[in-house]
Amino acid sequence: MAISAPPSPGHTPVRARSAAPPAPGEVPSGVAPTRLRPRLLPRLRPADREVLWLYLLTRAAVWTTAYCTRWLFPASGDARVPEPVLAPFERWDWGHFLNIARDGYFPGGPGEGDNREAFFPGLPLVLRAVHVLVPHWTAAGLLVSLAAGAVAAVALARVAELHLPGSGAGRRAALFLLVSPCAVFLAAGYSEALFLALALPAWLAARRQRWLLASVLAAGATTVRISGLFLAAALAVLLLTTRRDERTGRKRAAAWLVLPGLPALLYFWYLYGRTGDPMAWKHAQERGWYRHFRAPWEAWSQTWHEAFDHTQATGYAAQFQADLLAMVLGLLLLGVLVVRRRWPEAVYIALTLWALGTSYWYMSVARSTLLWWPLWVGLAVWSVRRRWVTIAYLCLVAPLSTVLAITFMSGRWAG
């Protein structure tokens, strides 16, 4: 029981008056306004610390898996010495990000590269900056993803809490993301963690009507992935669907939303100056990853053929199957968002699915689920209302996450 201090001499007790809690954004009486300046990610709360603790535990699980993979799944079956400690994370796209950060886009001149211009410059620029302090390139990449993933996990939890405050939905959303089948890519030196660390705070800022900050963060996300433009479209729809009494400075906010397009334009301008082709990034994707435009049904048919007609090695066929399943999941998610009239999120998911589902075949669709924050928020809200959802999700997903992590870390194609 709390015991109040005795009144000072001469003090006349005053009966406490009940007062209604201040409205959101209102400064309570007796509190200096400077102490309530709006922050994007204010001082860590107990719920945030729980999310970060969960984040560190899942990172420890990933690193444990990497250690075991070095010993149990060496490149040579009769190896006596495991690969270097960080070798499990030096796979596939990491080589492109490393080459860009270290040597630039066209070290041998235009037309003589490895299609690295398909990757946007955001992550390589950050990687090069961190490398000034961390000389080992792979360690620098892992450090970027470690820090960005922590920001993304906390921001995702706060986005989920907007839907069911005080319900624990935030922790569940972070958990579902961090143990998802493709979660290993959040730990590797890939662009997903950095993109989420910019995109999710941008979404939070927009939900709080801080459009300049949201636009700047979305512009940062666009430097990392083309998906930043899809995020900008979702922010524009969010602005249009905001209630009239919250549309303060609407014209100015709409002007700020031009910012996310500038990094893409600058990159296209750079490519034009070096190659004479402003769409060189897209043509590089076509050359290196068969991302030629195809009708959606043709892309589905081709992917189905590669997945089930025994034309590919089993490892690649399994990934095509995973991409098919992810596309179905994405379409279901889009349907739920439309039915519930969550138009901004629906626009983001629809543009993402269109970009992934109109190439020669599906590629990295399963990995793209990491960026579908409405999926993780929706699952978290569902799990609060149906307790069995969490147990069912973990039982089904944990084995897939482990298998995919080992697949990636052993150098096999994992999407």
Side-chain angles (χ1 to χ4, degrees), residues 338-396:
V338 170
V339 169
R340 296 187 176 180
R341 299 184 179 182
R342 306 290 302 183
W343 302 119
E345 294 94 331
V347 166
Y348 176 78
I349 296 299
L351 290 174
T352 301
L353 294 179
W354 178 262
L356 294 170
T358 55
S359 60
Y360 177 75
W361 53 28
Y362 296 167
M363 183 170 291
S364 301
V365 181
R367 194 172 103 200
S368 179
T369 59
L370 295 171
L371 311 182
W372 301 355
W373 81 86
L375 172 63
W376 312 117
V377 172
L379 283 174
V381 172
W382 189 22
S383 70
V384 170
R385 296 168 177 167
R386 299 289 187 271
R387 294 185 178 181
W388 58 268
V389 171
T390 301
I391 297 176
Y393 177 87
L394 294 177
C395 290
L396 292 173

Side-chain angles (χ1 to χ4, degrees), residues 20-282:
E26 180 181 342
V27 179
S29 58
V31 179
T34 55
R35 295 187 178 183
L36 289 179
R37 293 174 183 170
R39 296 172 181 264
L40 177 63
L41 288 178
R43 192 173 303 170
L44 288 178
R45 304 169 302 186
D48 299 329
R49 289 192 286 271
E50 291 182 14
V51 170
L52 289 175
W53 176 241
L54 173 65
Y55 178 72
L56 291 177
L57 287 176
T58 56
R59 298 314 88 189
V62 171
W63 298 329
T64 301
T65 304
Y67 177 85
C68 295
T69 301
R70 291 172 53 233
W71 287 91
L72 300 176
F73 301 96
S76 174
D78 58 350
R80 297 294 185 270
V81 178
E83 291 184 302
V85 174
L86 300 183
F89 298 99
E90 299 172 341
R91 310 297 186 189
W92 301 100
D93 287 357
W94 162 249
H96 293 290
F97 293 122
L98 170 63
N99 291 335
I100 297 169
R102 185 180 55 197
D103 306 320
Y105 278 102
F106 305 104
E112 299 181 9
D114 52 2
N115 298 316
R116 65 182 70 176
E117 59 268 30
F119 297 87
F120 273 43
L123 177 57
L125 288 173
V126 175
L127 180 60
R128 190 175 184 87
V130 174
H131 179 256
V132 174
L133 300 176
V134 182
H136 194 285
W137 283 104
T138 305
L142 294 178
L143 182 60
V144 170
S145 291
L146 178 65
V151 174
V154 172
L156 176 63
R158 293 190 175 187
V159 171
E161 286 294 334
L162 294 177
H163 294 261
L164 286 178
S167 65
R171 293 188 296 274
R172 295 176 189 232
L175 173 65
F176 292 161
L177 171 65
L178 296 174
V179 301
S180 62
C182 296
V184 65
F185 294 105
L186 294 175
Y190 275 47
S191 62
E192 280 77 7
L194 184 58
F195 177 84
L196 288 175
L198 293 164
L200 289 171
W203 188 255
L204 273 175
R207 291 291 301 269
R208 295 168 181 170
Q209 306 300 306
R210 301 178 64 191
W211 294 104
L212 173 57
L213 181 58
S215 299
V216 170
L217 290 169
T222 304
T223 68
V224 179
R225 298 177 68 95
I226 192 65
S227 304
L229 296 180
F230 308 157
L231 171 64
L235 292 176
V237 176
L238 179 61
L239 176 62
L240 291 174
T241 55
T242 301
R243 292 182 302 178
R244 291 184 181 274
D245 57 347
E246 295 178 357
R247 290 178 181 173
T248 56
R250 182 179 175 186
K251 291 183 179 180
R252 181 179 299 178
W256 291 132
L257 288 178
V258 176
L259 291 178
L262 294 181
L265 291 177
L266 289 174
Y267 183 48
F268 300 161
W269 179 57
Y270 165 78
L271 292 176
Y272 177 76
R274 294 301 305 270
T275 68
D277 179 12
M279 300 301 289
W281 67 276
K282 184 177 184 302

